[in-house]
Amino acid sequence: MGLISDSDRKIIKEEFFSKLTEPVKIIGFTGRKNCQYCDQLKQLVQELSELSDKLSYEFFDFDSEEGKKMAEKYRIDRAPAVTVTRNGEDMGVRFFGLPAGHEFGAFLEDIVDVSNGETDLMPESKEELAKIGDDVRILVFVTPTCPYCPLAVRMAHKFAIESKKAGKGNVLGDMVEAVEYPEWADMYRVMAVPKIVIQVNGQDKVEFEGAYPEKMFVEKLLSAVE
């Protein structure tokens, strides 16, 4: 039985995938841990790939030698995970866990943005992102039933895309499904979602809860790198 209904398939093709310009390749990783929904993750990506000739995918065993090499290439440190690439080029757009529930829409929008290499961020936000020279990782802890979480996830992913567009590619935007990664969520005392953690050069710098508007989110990011 398919995960995507016929009516939803039609909407995805017409409203989302008709906007794709450059090929998108989803690189996925599954492993021995946290893999309760790995089969669904693979099936979801496969069904989406059937809706556009501009969308392809490849999955790797995170625990195999080949998988470890690919994970290092795409800066993936846990599985299950998928990264949305522009024809194999790392754009820093990653999902740790199944993008289900409200996150499914964010997943579709990210595919479109990655394909086009564009976001709708304000010009001043793009200018600030272009100045960041540090390695930044934005963790956004979510649950599938959280209606505000996709806003935070999308903002982190837009930051990553614009960083790449600026020729740096040193901002990573990570959706983390808290239920699938309980130890990770416990590490950051995730009591409410979205919970955002901004790391700079491997160090935790800023933590906050809530889906902040663009300007406030950028200010939080700048406070972390400064």
Side-chain angles (χ1 to χ4, degrees):
M1 181 178 178
L3 296 177
I4 305 174
S5 68
D6 289 340
S7 59
D8 285 343
R9 289 167 66 92
K10 186 174 185 294
I11 292 171
I12 292 168
K13 290 180 69 173
E14 294 178 355
E15 300 296 326
F16 293 94
F17 290 177
S18 63
K19 302 174 183 177
L20 303 184
T21 55
E22 294 297 320
V24 171
K25 186 172 185 179
I26 297 174
I27 308 293
F29 298 87
T30 59
R32 301 189 187 101
K33 296 181 179 180
N34 308 309
C35 236
Q36 181 179 356
Y37 300 105
C38 284
D39 289 342
Q40 290 95 321
L41 179 61
K42 288 182 177 180
Q43 184 178 349
L44 179 65
V45 171
Q46 178 184 352
E47 290 184 20
L48 286 175
S49 72
E50 295 169 354
L51 303 181
S52 173
D53 58 5
K54 285 188 169 65
L55 182 61
S56 61
Y57 71 94
E58 190 171 7
F59 271 86
F60 298 90
D61 179 355
F62 184 75
D63 301 304
S64 69
E65 286 303 315
E66 181 184 23
K68 289 176 183 176
K69 290 179 181 178
M70 292 300 293
E72 182 177 358
K73 175 181 178 180
Y74 288 103
R75 300 175 288 177
I76 298 291
D77 57 359
R78 289 171 172 82
V82 294
T83 180
V84 184
T85 77
R86 200 169 194 232
N87 203 23
E89 182 181 10
D90 186 3
M91 301 295 286
V93 176
R94 301 108 67 78
F95 291 80
F96 288 85
L98 181 67
H102 291 287
E103 296 305 331
F104 182 57
F107 191 38
L108 297 176
E109 291 172 346
D110 283 330
I111 290 172
V112 175
D113 281 357
V114 167
S115 174
N116 297 330
E118 294 283 350
T119 75
D120 60 0
L121 290 180
M122 295 182 292
E124 50 266 39
S125 298
K126 296 179 181 181
E127 290 175 8
E128 294 296 342
L129 287 162
K131 298 175 185 176
I132 296 176
D134 299 290
D135 290 327
V136 176
R137 186 177 190 181
I138 306 171
L139 303 173
V140 183
F141 290 88
V142 307
T143 59
T145 57
C146 166
Y148 304 105
C149 290
L151 299 174
V153 169
R154 286 281 289 141
M155 198 66 67
H157 288 163
K158 290 175 186 180
F159 290 173
I161 293 169
E162 290 298 338
S163 173
K164 182 68 176 182
K165 184 181 175 183
K168 296 182 179 181
N170 52 356
V171 175
L172 302 177
D174 295 352
M175 182 213 82
V176 182
E177 211 291 286
V179 177
E180 291 185 57
Y181 283 97
E183 294 118 353
W184 207 354
D186 288 345
M187 182 189 306
Y188 288 106
R189 304 172 299 281
V190 177
M191 305 299 291
V193 289
K195 170 74 178 280
I196 293 89
V197 178
I198 301 178
Q199 299 176 344
V200 180
N201 298 325
Q203 301 295 316
D204 298 334
K205 292 293 185 178
V206 171
E207 298 183 18
F208 59 97
E209 295 176 353
Y212 280 27
E214 178 181 332
K215 185 176 180 180
M216 292 178 63
F217 205 137
V218 171
E219 289 173 353
K220 286 288 188 181
L221 177 60
L222 295 179
S223 70
V225 298
E226 291 171 357

